[in-house]
């Protein structure tokens, strides 16, 4: 017997849990803060370098004027005499400060600190001009220098000798200062960045407190410790929590409707079942069987009716708009055929664009029961009024639906009794007495109100349904 072919099995990879809002915010803030502080560090370093170069230029210019030019002289023949006592910083080899004087006829003087350096890049400058440049590559390293073209007069004032004075400084001194500044700046920016991240996390934790409160309240509702989300939430979460509360109420009311429907169904089947049992025990002729079939048909109608009632969906957040006028006409046409002997005149006063935001079956059940009740009790005239009731700040307008007739009406002391489950306004009128209770269940499912009073125009009963805006 051949062995069965192996079955290929595949395993779905475990879905990675998304990062929390706090983690997302912390990572994003870290990247943005690092980029921002890095840019700030670069800008400040560049600004520091520019300032340092300007300061260096001023220092070298002052040194050239104060330390070199003022200590340089010429003899009566116009020959340059080197500075007699240059400052000590120009006399120490390796001090990083250098002085050079270029004069006519190949005159070249260097300070003691400049011995061994290459200053061939220096060219004579016209009198009155100056130059700041660098860094310049030399055998002893890179230099920044300031040069100025001047003229020296002899003691008798008869001769003027042009010269070029240069004062230079090693780049490493400037870069050393800049490096210290950059290290200090990086340290403080890092400390500032850490402080800002900690502050951001604290602010984020405080900002997300309402969300944690919502989650905590939801857990209390699930455990049965609370019926609703009853805390005070920020404006941004109010819409969410209101819809969650609406969902909770809808779910609970749906269970209540199912329980009532099953109770009504069981109660409605008691009598037909008793009749069936009684007739089947007492007789077996043809009329008896006919009676049994009638009772079975009645049970079938009751089951269908109560199951349709149990399907009432109630208020929905994202329900489509159902136009009322066309469905009202269909219902009235059917009732006019049923009550043709009464020759009922049914008038409509339906506002343009009036719609029902919910299930079509709920609308048909609501209007059908109210209109059938009016046709049952009217003498001749029935009025259906539908009006929109908009409210500022609400996306969907409210709805007013009323049905009036010119019948005997309902006494004020009997209204509460008529609205009870299984009670008929007149026991002589055929029916099960549950039509108005179904209307009440539908109205309650949509957070509406049902009011019963006397029609001011027709004189009979008026049933008014008000559904709130959403």
């Amino acid at each position: 017997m051949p062995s069965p072919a192996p079955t290929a099995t595949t395993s779905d990879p475990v879905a990675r849990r998304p990062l929390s809002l706090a983690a997302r915010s912390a990572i994003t803030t870290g990247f943005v803060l690092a980029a921002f502080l890095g840019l700030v560090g670069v800008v400040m370093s560049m600004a520091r370098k520019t300032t340092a170069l300007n300061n260096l230029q001023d220092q070298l210019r002052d040194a050239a004027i104060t330390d070199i030019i003022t200590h340089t002289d010429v003899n009566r023949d116009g020959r340059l005499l080197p500075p007699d006592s240059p400052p000590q910083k120009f006399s120490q080899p390796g001090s990083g400060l250098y002085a050079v004087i270029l004069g006519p006829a190949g005159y070249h003087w260097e300070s003691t600190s400049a011995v061994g350096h290459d200053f061939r890049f220096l060219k004579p400058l016209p009198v009155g001009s100056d130059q700041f440049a660098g860094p310049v590559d030399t055998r002893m390293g890179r230099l920044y220098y300031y040069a100025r073209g001047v003229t020296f007069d002899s003691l008798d004032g008869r001769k003027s000798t042009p010269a070029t004075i240069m004062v230079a400084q090693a780049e490493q001194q400037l870069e050393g200062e800049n490096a210290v500044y950059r290290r200090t700046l990086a340290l403080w920016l890092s400390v500032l960045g850490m402080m800002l991240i900690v502050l951001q996390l604290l602010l984020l934790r405080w900002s997300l407190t309402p969300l944690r409160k919502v989650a905590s309240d939801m857990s209390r509702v699930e455990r049965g410790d609370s019926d609703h989300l009853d805390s005070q939430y920020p404006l941004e979460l109010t819409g969410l929590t209101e819809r969650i509360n609406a969902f909770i109420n809808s779910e609970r009311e749906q269970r209540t409707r199912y329980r009532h429907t099953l109770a009504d169904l069981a109660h409605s089947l008691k009598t037909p079942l008793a009749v069936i049992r009684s007739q089947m025990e007492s007789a077996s002729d043809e009329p008896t069987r006919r009676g049994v079939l009638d009772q079975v048909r009645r049970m079938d109608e009751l089951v269908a009716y109560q199951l349709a009632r149990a399907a009432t969906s109630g208020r929905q957040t994202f329900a489509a708009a159902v136009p009322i006028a066309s469905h009202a006409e269909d219902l009235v046409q059917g009732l006019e055929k049923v009550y043709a002997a009464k020759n009922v005149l049914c008038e409509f006063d339906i506002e343009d664009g009036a719609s029902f935001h919910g299930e079509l079956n709920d609308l048909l059940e609501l209007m059908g029961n109210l209109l059938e009740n009016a046709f049952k009790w009217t003498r001749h005239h029935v009025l259906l009024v539908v009006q929109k009731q908009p409210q500022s700040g609400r996306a969907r307008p409210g709805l007013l639906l009323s049905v009036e007739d010119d019948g005997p009406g309902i006494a004020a002391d009997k209204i509460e009794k008529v609205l009870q489950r299984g009670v008929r306004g007149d026991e002589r009128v055929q029916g099960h007495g549950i039509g108005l209770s179904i209307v009440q269940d539908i109205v309650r499912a949509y957070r509406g109100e049902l009011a019963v009073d006397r029609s001011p125009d027709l004189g009979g009963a008026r049933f008014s349904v008000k559904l709130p805006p959403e």
Side-chain angles (χ1 to χ4, degrees):
M1 181 175 178
S3 59
T7 303
T9 60
T10 59
S11 59
D12 297 334
V14 178
R16 184 177 180 181
R17 185 175 182 179
L19 293 174
S20 65
L21 294 178
R24 291 169 183 262
S25 180
I27 293 174
T28 304
T29 302
F31 280 119
V32 173
L33 193 59
F36 175 75
L37 293 180
L39 182 61
V40 169
V42 171
V43 172
M44 293 185 68
S45 295
M46 294 176 62
R48 164 68 181 182
K49 184 175 182 180
T50 301
T51 302
L53 288 175
N54 293 333
N55 293 336
L56 178 61
Q57 181 179 356
D58 294 338
Q59 293 173 6
L60 295 180
R61 182 176 61 245
D62 293 342
I65 296 173
T66 304
D67 299 331
I68 305 300
I69 295 178
T70 58
H71 289 81
T72 304
D73 205 349
V74 294
N75 58 19
R76 293 180 180 180
D77 297 332
R79 187 172 181 276
L80 290 172
L81 300 175
D84 52 356
S85 58
Q88 186 177 4
K89 56 187 176 182
F90 291 105
S91 302
Q92 295 177 351
S95 65
L97 285 173
Y98 315 106
V100 176
I101 300 177
L102 298 181
Y107 180 85
H108 183 97
W109 174 85
E110 296 179 357
S111 64
T112 306
S113 60
V115 175
H117 284 69
D118 181 11
F119 296 102
R120 287 179 296 179
F121 59 86
L122 181 62
K123 304 298 181 184
L125 296 178
V127 176
S129 63
D130 60 357
Q131 180 183 20
F132 177 76
V136 177
D137 291 321
T138 68
R139 289 182 305 175
M140 303 300 291
R142 293 157 64 91
L143 301 176
Y144 286 94
Y145 71 89
Y146 172 81
R148 185 169 183 173
V150 297
T151 182
F152 293 95
D153 296 330
S154 62
L155 295 176
D156 55 9
R158 295 179 180 181
K159 291 187 178 182
S160 295
T161 304
T164 299
I165 308 298
M166 184 202 77
V167 176
Q169 177 177 304
E171 180 191 29
Q172 61 185 8
Q173 293 186 354
L174 179 65
E175 288 302 315
E177 295 175 359
N178 289 337
V180 172
Y181 175 81
R182 287 193 296 268
R183 288 195 297 269
T184 304
L185 179 63
L187 174 62
W188 282 108
L189 287 180
S190 300
V191 173
L192 178 61
M194 295 301 297
M195 293 175 61
L196 289 177
I197 289 177
V198 172
L199 179 60
Q200 175 66 20
L201 292 177
L202 294 176
L203 291 176
L204 182 63
R205 180 175 179 81
W206 175 77
S207 300
L208 294 180
T209 298
L211 288 178
R212 289 193 294 272
K213 181 62 176 174
V214 171
S216 175
D217 290 348
M218 284 292 296
S219 299
R220 293 177 60 244
V221 173
E222 292 176 355
R223 294 194 304 267
D225 298 336
S226 178
D227 295 332
H228 300 88
L229 303 179
D230 51 5
S231 299
Q232 295 294 325
Y233 304 105
L235 179 63
E236 293 80 3
L237 296 179
T238 301
L240 172 64
T241 53
E242 286 180 350
R243 282 166 175 77
I244 292 177
N245 282 333
F247 177 79
I248 294 173
N249 291 335
S250 176
E251 190 270 341
R252 289 174 177 169
E253 291 176 3
Q254 186 76 9
R255 291 202 305 267
T256 302
R257 284 200 303 274
Y258 279 130
R259 288 196 297 268
H260 288 171
T261 299
L262 293 176
D264 290 339
L265 181 60
H267 180 76
S268 300
L269 291 176
K270 282 183 180 179
T271 301
L273 288 175
V275 173
I276 292 174
R277 184 169 57 252
S278 175
Q279 291 186 356
M280 291 298 292
E281 290 175 353
S282 61
S284 61
D285 54 359
E286 184 63 25
T288 301
R289 288 195 298 272
R290 190 180 302 112
V292 172
L293 292 177
D294 290 341
Q295 296 300 324
V296 171
R297 189 180 305 108
R298 182 184 177 191
M299 284 191 296
D300 183 64
E301 293 174 352
L302 287 173
V303 170
Y305 190 65
Q306 295 291 359
L307 290 179
R309 178 185 176 186
T312 301
S313 62
R315 177 182 178 182
Q316 300 179 17
T317 304
F318 303 103
V322 180
I324 295 178
S326 58
H327 296 291
E329 292 177 358
D330 295 339
L331 288 172
V332 170
Q333 288 178 3
L335 291 172
E336 286 176 345
K337 294 178 181 179
V338 175
Y339 295 92
K342 301 182 70 171
N343 192 24
V344 177
L345 172 63
C346 183
E347 293 183 338
F348 293 162
D349 183 9
I350 302 178
E351 185 176 352
D352 293 339
S355 301
F356 175 78
H357 293 277
E359 292 291 334
L360 174 60
N361 291 337
D362 293 344
L363 174 63
L364 297 179
E365 195 74 38
L366 177 65
M367 283 200 308
N369 278 291
L370 292 178
L371 288 171
E372 183 179 10
N373 184 74
F375 270 74
K376 186 183 300 182
W377 292 98
T378 187
R379 297 185 180 92
H380 176 65
H381 196 182
V382 174
L383 174 63
L384 171 63
V385 178
V386 180
Q387 297 177 350
K388 295 187 294 185
Q389 294 186 321
Q391 180 176 333
S392 176
R394 297 290 184 174
R396 298 174 180 174
L399 187 68
L400 171 63
L401 187 151
S402 66
V403 177
E404 307 175 28
D405 62 69
D406 61 352
I410 304 175
D413 58 345
K414 294 184 179 180
I415 292 177
E416 183 176 356
K417 181 179 179 181
V418 169
L419 294 179
Q420 293 178 359
R421 308 163 70 87
V423 176
R424 299 195 298 269
D426 190 338
E427 296 295 334
R428 296 171 296 178
V429 179
Q430 184 178 2
H432 301 294
I434 59 176
L436 292 181
S437 66
I438 292 178
V439 170
Q440 289 187 90
D441 287 341
I442 296 175
V443 171
R444 192 177 297 110
Y446 285 87
R447 312 286 192 272
E449 298 177 356
L450 173 63
V452 182
D453 58 2
R454 185 168 294 276
S455 171
D457 298 325
L458 303 183
R462 178 174 65 178
F463 289 80
S464 301
V465 174
K466 292 183 179 180
L467 301 182
E470 301 178 17

